[in-house]
Amino acid sequence: MPTFKAFFVSENADKSYSNQIIERSAADLPEGEVLIRVKYSSLNYKDALSATGNKGVTRNYPHTPGIDAAGIVEESATDQFSKGEKVLVTGFDLGMNTAGGFGQYIRVPARWVVKLPRGLRLKESMIFGTAGLTAALCIDKLLQNGLTPDKGKVIVTGATGGVGTLAVMILARLGFETVAVTGKPEGAAYLKNLGATEVLNRDAVNDHSGRPLLKGLYAGCVDTVGGAILATILKTMQYNGVVSICGLVQSAELPTTVYPFILRGVSMFGIDSSECDIEWRKKMWKNLAGKWKPTKIEQIARTVTLKGLSKEIKKILKGGQIGRVIVRL
């Protein structure tokens, strides 16, 4: 079996956590039908939590994080995939309790694997990664429920993060007038360059009036932050507005009332990309490789090696990451 390099996180005797790049054998990987030589991964907030000992993400250590991976099939115990085929894996248990994409090889169940769609390179698939898939699922849910560009503005929260950035880009690609919300004033020019028609500071969507409804401003929303910001946006949705929610960067709490739902017919949908239906997943990857693919996709990504991961993990935990960090293996 081949040996390979992996970013390895260990729990120390004093309950602290440390990481190093080690040499592993593919024989040590968990069971699964498909062995993949990983070419690219990406850094997500969940990876940073796993890399620093968050037991809500990863129960047992030592461990290799990386919830995203793209590469080439080395071995397959099923005729669904062939040696040499380009594939990608996002979500499920990858990088959580199954050795993940921060290693040069992964072994996973066949049902986790998606063939790389035509029109997408391996590196591009990781610029999207879990963040892009989540953004696509959020937007598709809005479209399924009647949102069209002529209905009005779409607001995106946490817009300099991975999901938010890609949501802004995809919505712009689809012709929507998009309002981006960020707590990083320095991100305004960046977001407008990616297609946002307006950029708001998060304080502008954090209502303290106590009123159950505000002026209807938005036809749709992709929310990644939760908390008071989501509650404020719900108050400002237009009649029959649609909201997709996928994160809790601000808070898991939602201090709201039923008024937006029963007086304006607002609909809110929860999005989970980790365990979503495989056919919906494949459809979204096809869209991301085709008609939804932003023209400036490379502009939002920086590439690091395994040696550069520790620095980037510290940065994302402090809220300092803008766009996407790609890991070249």
Side-chain angles (χ1 to χ4, degrees), residues 34-256:
V34 187
L35 179 68
I36 299 167
R37 170 70 169 93
V38 180
K39 295 293 186 180
Y40 293 95
S41 183
S42 69
L43 176 63
N44 301 277
Y45 191 73
K46 188 179 284 187
D47 298 320
L49 294 177
S50 175
T52 51
N54 187 302
K55 292 296 181 78
V57 176
T58 300
R59 292 187 298 272
N60 299 308
Y61 292 84
H63 174 66
T64 296
I67 64 172
D68 295 340
I72 298 170
V73 174
E74 189 78 13
E75 297 175 3
S76 177
T78 169
D79 58 8
Q80 291 176 256
F81 303 99
S82 304
K83 181 178 173 63
E85 196 165 24
K86 294 179 179 179
V87 295
L88 61 94
V89 182
T90 62
F92 297 102
D93 191 51
L94 185 71
M96 294 179 65
N97 297 289
T98 299
F102 294 169
Q104 292 175 323
Y105 280 86
I106 58 172
R107 185 184 287 113
V108 296
R111 68 181 185 88
W112 294 6
V113 184
V114 174
K115 295 181 182 181
L116 187 74
R118 185 175 299 175
L120 204 59
R121 295 184 291 114
L122 287 172
K123 182 180 179 181
E124 290 175 330
S125 75
M126 290 295 94
I127 297 176
F128 286 119
T130 289
L133 176 61
T134 303
L137 293 168
C138 286
I139 292 167
D140 192 55
K141 183 64 77 170
L142 301 183
L143 300 180
Q144 288 177 26
N145 286 276
L147 184 66
T148 53
D150 61 295
K151 295 287 180 64
K153 298 177 182 179
V154 180
I155 187 167
V156 178
T157 66
T160 54
V163 176
T165 293
L166 287 158
V168 167
M169 297 176 78
I170 296 167
L171 286 164
R173 179 81 169 85
L174 296 176
F176 285 92
E177 187 177 355
T178 307
V179 178
V181 179
T182 179
K184 301 183 176 75
E186 69 276 15
Y190 166 82
L191 290 165
K192 286 188 175 179
N193 181 53
L194 298 180
T197 49
E198 184 180 353
V199 179
L200 298 177
N201 186 278
R202 63 187 173 201
D203 292 338
V205 287
N206 194 356
D207 177 60
H208 298 286
S209 70
R211 295 171 60 189
L213 291 172
L214 300 171
K215 182 179 179 181
L217 300 174
Y218 308 109
C221 171
V222 174
D223 177 70
T224 71
V225 302
I229 289 176
L230 174 57
T232 299
I233 289 171
L234 288 170
K235 297 178 187 182
T236 59
M237 295 304 293
Q238 297 171 2
Y239 194 79
N240 282 340
V242 283
V243 179
S244 288
I245 64 170
C246 63
L248 41 71
V249 173
Q250 184 187 55
S251 174
E253 301 296 321
L254 184 56
T256 190

Side-chain angles (χ1 to χ4, degrees), residues 20-42:
Q20 59 183 320
I21 298 169
I22 68 165
E23 195 85 12
R24 298 197 71 192
S25 169
D28 297 330
L29 291 172
E31 294 183 0
E33 294 92 354
V34 187
L35 179 68
I36 299 167
R37 170 70 169 93
V38 180
K39 295 293 186 180
Y40 293 95
S41 183
S42 69

